């Protein structure tokens, strides 16, 4: 933390033998008069969002992407959605309710509010595509977030307008049952996790990439060949 007269700058880093690696950084500001906003029309949003993704389907979808969330990070109850917006019902897991009073926003609800973007991604992506959180431009805290709340998700103004799906941008509003804004997350960025590719076949693989063979050189003196190992993937025979 690096406080000054108007803000507090922060960094989250790890230290490996004196070498610092920054994982996150940002700035905390105290602003007495936040921009006023109208309550969301919850009924109108639900009427527009005619498709639903229940809790089981949501976390099965994440599991297929390789993200296995434990029970305390499964707060999504249901997501109502269409192509451009989604409304997710969030319920803080019962085992965490007693400690929720210690937070303006419980870490479980924070994480699950970011998970809700699956509501917009579900039909656009296959099970082999995984997105990970990358950055958040701004968070505005209007009040403590209730244990049972709603997350309203839209693509942000910086959202990709072409077919490039490597980086996606979202705005997320956390509201109570009446649509009153409690917290807003602006320009939440997710980036696509790309698997390594096999140099020999140019196909995605979980194995380390095959080394590209070097050009063979011939010595002028003894015609000695200089080379390096070049491994090919092959099935194991029954005899082995």
């Amino acid at each position: 933390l690096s406080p000054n007269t108007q803000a507090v700058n922060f960094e989250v880093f790890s230290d490996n033998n004196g070498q610092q690696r920054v994982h996150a950084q940002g700035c905390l500001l105290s602003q007495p008069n936040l921009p006023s906003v109208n309550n969301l029309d919850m009924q109108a949003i639900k009427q527009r969002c005619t498709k639903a993704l229940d809790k089981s389907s949501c976390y099965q979808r994440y599991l297929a992407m390789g993200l296995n969330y434990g029970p305390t990070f499964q707060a999504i109850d249901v997501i109502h959605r269409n192509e451009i917006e989604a409304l997710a019902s969030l319920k803080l897991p019962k085992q965490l309710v007693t400690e929720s009073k210690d937070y303006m926003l419980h870490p479980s609800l924070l994480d699950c509010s970011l998970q809700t973007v699956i509501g917009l991604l579900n039909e656009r992506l296959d099970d082999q595509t995984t997105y990970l959180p990358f950055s958040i431009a701004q968070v505005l805290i209007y009040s403590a977030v209730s244990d049972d709340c709603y997350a309203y998700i839209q693509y942000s103004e910086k959202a990709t307008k072409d077919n490039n799906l490597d980086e996606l941008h979202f705005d997320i509003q956390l509201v109570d049952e009446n649509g009153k804004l409690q917290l807003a997350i602006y320009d939440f960025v997710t980036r696509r996790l790309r698997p390594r590719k096999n140099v020999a076949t140019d196909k995605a693989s979980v194995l380390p990439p095959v080394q590209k063979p070097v050009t063979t050189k011939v010595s002028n003196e003894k015609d000695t060949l200089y080379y390096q190992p070049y491994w090919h993937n092959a099935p194991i025979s029954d005899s082995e």
Side-chain angles (χ1 to χ4, degrees):
L1 297 177
S2 302
N4 56 48
T5 56
Q6 296 180 336
V8 176
N9 298 317
F10 70 88
E11 283 188 347
V12 178
F13 63 90
S14 58
D15 189 301
N16 184 14
N17 296 325
Q19 297 294 322
Q20 291 186 355
R21 181 177 183 181
V22 178
H23 302 286
Q25 57 187 5
C27 179
L28 302 175
L29 295 169
S30 178
Q31 185 174 337
N33 298 315
L34 293 176
S36 60
V37 292
N38 296 324
N39 288 5
L40 295 181
D41 189 336
M42 305 292 281
Q43 190 60 34
I45 294 173
K46 290 180 180 179
Q47 290 177 352
R48 295 194 301 265
C49 297
T50 56
K51 300 178 181 180
L53 188 68
D54 63 20
K55 179 172 186 171
S56 176
S57 299
C58 178
Y59 288 104
Q60 284 297 321
R61 178 71 174 83
Y62 269 124
L63 188 60
M65 292 167 58
L67 301 175
N68 186 13
Y69 290 104
T72 58
F73 283 91
Q74 293 188 22
I76 297 176
D77 188 51
V78 63
I79 302 177
H80 299 279
R81 58 195 173 88
N82 57 39
E83 296 300 319
I84 61 173
E85 61 185 340
L87 182 68
S89 172
L90 302 180
K91 296 182 182 296
L92 187 68
K94 294 180 179 179
Q95 59 267 47
L96 301 177
V97 170
T98 56
E99 63 184 52
S100 66
K101 64 181 182 299
D102 298 328
Y103 299 91
M104 291 288 287
L105 171 62
H106 195 282
S108 176
L109 289 178
L110 171 60
D111 192 273
C112 292
S113 68
L114 304 182
Q115 296 173 21
T116 58
V117 298
I118 192 70
L120 291 181
L121 297 178
N122 186 59
E123 294 185 350
R124 298 180 59 182
L125 309 175
D126 56 45
D127 288 345
Q128 302 304 314
T129 305
T130 301
Y131 282 85
L132 295 179
F134 177 71
S135 66
I136 293 173
Q138 186 181 48
V139 177
L140 298 182
I141 303 174
Y142 288 83
S143 66
V145 176
S146 50
D147 294 349
D148 294 349
C149 61
Y150 289 85
Y152 179 59
I153 311 99
Q154 295 176 296
Y155 290 105
S156 73
E157 293 181 358
K158 295 182 180 179
T160 304
K161 292 181 172 56
D162 53 25
N163 292 323
N164 179 15
L165 296 178
D166 288 339
E167 184 175 290
L168 300 175
H169 299 246
F170 303 92
D171 290 336
I172 304 171
Q173 297 181 59
L174 297 184
V175 302
D176 65 13
E177 60 183 5
N178 298 314
K180 183 178 180 180
L181 183 61
Q182 298 177 327
L183 184 142
I185 298 172
Y186 292 111
D187 199 27
F188 165 51
V189 179
T190 62
R191 284 191 174 179
R192 186 177 182 179
L193 180 64
R194 289 189 171 276
R196 290 184 176 181
K197 288 189 175 182
N198 188 309
V199 175
T201 63
D202 198 36
K203 293 181 179 179
S205 172
V206 296
L207 298 175
V210 176
Q211 282 187 311
K212 184 177 180 180
V214 296
T215 303
T216 302
K217 296 181 179 180
V218 180
S219 167
N220 292 328
E221 296 181 357
K222 297 183 180 180
D223 292 337
T224 302
L225 295 179
Y226 293 90
Y227 64 93
Q228 70 181 39
Y230 183 31
W231 296 91
H232 294 271
N233 296 328
I236 299 177
S237 64
D238 295 338
S239 62
E240 296 174 334

